Amino acid sequence: MNFLLAPNTLLFWLSITLCVPLIIIASIFAPWRLVMASQQRHHLLMASVVALSLFWLFGVTVKNAVIFHPLLMTVTTMVLGWSLAQLVGLAALVLLAVFQTAFRSALVGWDMAYSQFHPSAIPLDFCLNVAVPATWAWCVISVVNYGRFKNPFIYILGVGFFGAMGSCLLVDVVALGFCYFAGSQAHWVIIQDHFWLFLLMTFPEGFINGTIATAFTVFLPDLVKTYKESWFVQDKN
């Protein structure tokens, strides 16, 4: 979900207060050595940024204020881990803004397209599109790993499918809370009136994330950072 309207001052600073510490923590604890040691992971990281930004282009615009689109942060967190997922999501948001501005310029010209670009909405978009679903996915992964269920389908379906479905509803609740607390009545009314869109998006979100997670886990398990093969496949007894 991306906002096309600039948030009010309180909503902007609330988003900044939450997203800046998360980005700093993610930058510090990101497994940079693991990334630098493999060219394949270089390509995976860059491909994730481009893929997310392209997926986020496919959305439904509501009253020229909010764009609803697939999140895909669950499978991103499964493959890259929480820290890299935060940084990849931030880079994808910036690239998405470039794509959207370029497409608008082709229709209405650069001046109008630039006037419709609101960089102050990026921190709020980061919180809702990246931080919330990625943190939720990491919590679900932790629960599955803590239980040490020896079945890969628990990991794929429990996290990739049902975890992704839950992230849609959680994003809606957090967005309502943000807008209500910050007094952003325009955003709050739009999100409340279109809650049904989040319900419609739950199954497609779960299906897309579950399908991609299955493909990575089956064909490229070494690239899935949160998949512990010794727990799900090998018998430790």
Side-chain angles (χ1 to χ4, degrees):
M1 179 174 62
N2 293 97
F3 286 100
L4 298 177
L5 296 178
N8 61 23
T9 303
L10 181 56
L11 187 57
F12 171 75
W13 285 110
L14 176 63
S15 303
I16 285 288
T17 302
L18 292 175
C19 74
V20 170
L22 290 177
I23 294 172
I24 294 174
I25 293 172
S27 301
I28 294 174
F29 291 99
W32 297 116
R33 290 185 179 180
L34 184 64
V35 174
M36 297 302 177
S38 172
Q39 187 177 14
Q40 193 176 23
R41 291 191 178 276
H42 291 174
H43 297 161
L44 177 63
L45 207 62
M46 296 300 103
S48 299
V49 173
V50 176
L52 277 178
S53 59
L54 291 177
F55 260 103
W56 290 346
L57 280 174
F58 297 98
V60 178
T61 303
V62 178
K63 296 182 178 179
N64 292 321
V66 180
I67 299 177
F68 294 92
H69 57 72
L71 296 173
L72 291 183
M73 285 307 300
T74 299
V75 68
T76 303
T77 306
M78 294 171 71
V79 174
L80 299 176
W82 182 87
S83 297
L84 288 178
Q86 302 288 322
L87 301 178
V88 164
L90 177 62
L93 278 176
V94 175
L95 187 58
L96 174 66
V98 174
F99 286 157
Q100 289 176 334
T101 303
F103 288 150
R104 292 194 195 106
S105 68
L107 299 175
V108 298
W110 278 107
D111 292 338
M112 182 64 70
Y114 184 76
S115 66
Q116 295 176 352
F117 171 60
H118 300 289
S120 60
I122 291 181
L124 179 59
D125 290 340
F126 174 83
C127 291
L128 297 178
N129 290 278
V130 180
V132 171
T135 303
W136 164 258
W138 188 251
C139 292
V140 176
I141 292 169
S142 300
V143 170
V144 172
N145 286 346
Y146 180 79
R148 299 197 177 187
F149 303 104
K150 293 183 179 180
N151 190 332
F153 292 103
I154 298 295
Y155 175 81
I156 294 172
L157 295 179
V159 182
F161 185 80
F162 292 107
M165 291 179 66
S167 68
C168 284
L169 301 179
L170 182 61
V171 167
D172 178 51
V173 172
V174 173
L176 284 172
F178 271 29
C179 296
Y180 180 81
F181 178 79
S184 182
Q185 187 68 19
H187 293 93
W188 189 83
V189 170
I190 291 173
I191 296 173
Q192 184 186 41
D193 290 345
H194 294 83
F195 174 76
W196 56 274
L197 283 177
F198 287 95
L199 295 178
L200 290 177
M201 289 171 59
T202 53
F203 182 80
E205 182 73 22
F207 178 79
I208 296 172
N209 281 267
T211 301
I212 299 175
T214 301
F216 268 94
T217 305
V218 173
F219 297 107
L220 298 169
D222 292 339
L223 291 180
V224 184
K225 187 177 185 300
T226 62
Y227 180 68
K228 302 182 185 298
E229 189 174 21
S230 61
W231 288 9
F232 295 106
V233 178
Q234 299 175 6
D235 190 355
K236 301 174 90 175
N237 297 326

